[in-house]
Amino acid sequence: MDKFRLDGKVAWITGATYGLGFAYAAALSQAGAKVVFNARHADAIARALDEYKELGIDAYGAVCDVTDEKQVELFVADVKERFGTIDILINNAGIIKRIPMTEMSVEEWNQVINIDLTGPFICSKAVIPDMIKKGGGKIINACSMMSELGRETVSAYAAAKGGLKMLTRNICSEYGKYNIQCNGIGPGYIATPQTAPLRKRGSDGSMHPFDRFIRSKTPAQRWGTPDDLCGLAVFLSSPASDFINGQIIYIDGGILAYIGQDPSNLDESKLKTVEEDSSVQVSDR
Ligand code: NAP
Ligand code: GCO
């Protein structure tokens, strides 16, 4: 089971002040890694550092926008100065804009593409040379259902996540010979701040239509939680996955395998929203 451990490794999780990134960082730390992270807002980083400390995690965090190559270069140099290397990169930072395509401005389109696709390119480019020098490394990209499927209002996000799937395969193709494994985590619908608008109950207390819809598309009839993804994040960061490369592993509760059922078949009395289900840990920061 030592193959699943990360002792002695330095892991950089981008966008880990809350949401999935925070969960990944906590899980990799529990598996033995030293975790470092970045995001755009100093106050959120300070709050996250306190929350990591409450979990007994000695994380390191600094302001760095993944779309700014200079900031990324400085962040990587800072981490190497402090901790010697970066063995694992999880390209987690991402945003979504839910706007009908014909109403989306080019600026809005570019903002999503820059963060969700160009950011992983910039961060991967910053760590691969040292991974080559030291004989290998792990890069994990935050893919999505939208790496495979489209839906209304998320054109830029789907284009970015589809592109990220192919960037994952291309890093595998170009750098696999250096013992660098690049894979993707493809979550389904997970309860985080990014998806909170899709779960918010109506003023009359009714379930959000999208909440009902996505449960009818998920065999488990529930949203995923960040904790559901942590085992896969540790696995893909560990020596246990050294011969897995270029794969997008979907962790979606079965969405991609299921045609779905009529949402009206769901008994709403049995369906709590994630925020109401005390058994579910929701990353609500
Ligand atoms: P989230 O709750 O919105 O968190 C996003 C994180 O990224 C925050 O820490 C945010 O901090 C950071 N970030 C955003 N833009 C950044 C930038 N330019 N530079 C550095 N950090 C940046 O999102 P999430 O739900 O945890 O999702 C995390 C990743 O998983 C995203 O790539 C998302 O597309 C993907 N994903 C999510 C789901 C889901 O259902 N939640 C499913 C599939 C895939 P700041 O804003 O302070 O910078
Ligand atoms: C949306 C959601 C999704 C999830 C995730 C699904 O508006 O459809 O935000 O895009 O974030 O990417 O895998």
Side-chain angles (χ1 to χ4, degrees):
M1 295 306 282
D2 285 351
K3 273 184 170 285
F4 292 86
R5 294 288 306 171
L6 304 178
D7 301 283
K9 303 290 186 186
V10 177
W12 173 23
I13 301 90
T14 67
T17 44
Y18 50 83
L20 297 184
F22 186 94
Y24 296 151
L28 269 64
S29 175
Q30 285 157 5
K34 170 68 182 177
V35 294
V36 303
F37 70 99
N38 67 297
R40 293 169 296 181
H41 303 106
D43 56 345
I45 286 171
R47 184 173 60 243
L49 284 168
D50 288 343
E51 290 165 355
Y52 284 120
K53 199 172 287 182
E54 284 167 19
L55 295 172
I57 297 169
D58 179 20
Y60 173 74
V63 172
C64 169
D65 184 327
V66 296
T67 66
D68 184 320
E69 191 165 31
K70 192 63 191 160
Q71 287 187 33
V72 168
E73 286 168 356
L74 289 172
F75 178 85
V76 169
D78 178 29
V79 168
K80 283 168 59 179
E81 176 70 26
R82 291 170 183 267
F83 308 110
T85 186
I86 293 174
D87 302 289
I88 301 157
L89 166 63
I90 299 186
N91 283 309
N92 168 76
I95 66 165
I96 192 167
K97 288 187 181 297
R98 301 181 181 100
I99 305 166
M101 195 185 90
T102 53
E103 298 167 29
M104 182 181 280
S105 69
V106 173
E107 291 70 25
E108 290 164 326
W109 165 276
N110 284 336
Q111 191 184 3
V112 175
I113 298 291
N114 286 341
I115 295 172
D116 293 13
L117 181 56
T118 307
F121 159 73
I122 290 172
C123 295
S124 302
K125 188 178 158 205
V127 301
I128 284 172
D130 281 336
M131 288 182 172
I132 291 172
K133 283 181 195 149
K134 65 186 180 65
K138 298 281 188 179
I139 298 175
I140 298 151
N141 291 324
C143 293
S144 158
M145 296 289 93
M146 275 64 221
S147 297
E148 300 296 339
L149 303 170
R151 88 171 182 86
E152 300 81 358
T153 77
V154 297
S155 57
Y157 184 84
K161 294 301 185 180
L164 189 55
K165 171 173 73 174
M166 288 314 302
L167 178 62
T168 301
R169 291 177 178 165
N170 216 74
I171 292 172
C172 154
S173 306
E174 197 163 0
Y175 297 103
K177 59 177 170 280
Y178 299 109
N179 188 35
I180 292 171
Q181 292 85 47
C182 183
N183 293 290
I185 292 182
Y189 280 78
I190 314 299
T192 71
Q194 191 240 54
T195 56
L198 303 175
R199 293 190 302 276
K200 189 169 168 45
R201 279 191 181 275
S203 53
D204 61 356
S206 59
M207 184 168 271
H208 191 296
F210 193 90
D211 190 349
R212 170 180 284 278
F213 166 71
I214 209 59
R215 290 169 186 267
S216 75
K217 293 285 287 179
T218 308
Q221 296 186 6
R222 72 171 176 88
W223 287 72
T225 66
D227 193 52
D228 285 319
L229 308 183
C230 290
L232 180 58
V234 170
F235 170 60
L236 290 177
S237 299
S238 76
S241 61
D242 279 358
F243 205 55
I244 296 177
N245 214 344
Q247 300 300 312
I248 313 303
I249 300 179
Y250 290 100
I251 184 162
D252 64 357
I255 293 173
L256 290 179
Y258 181 43
I259 196 167
Q261 63 173 299
D262 182 339
S264 63
N265 290 345
L266 298 178
D267 176 355
E268 187 159 329
S269 66
K270 294 197 177 85
L271 297 176
K272 294 177 189 165
T273 65
V274 178
E275 283 70 12
E276 294 158 355
D277 184 344
S278 58
S279 68
V280 169
Q281 176 60 40
V282 176
S283 172
D284 59 1
R285 284 171 284 271

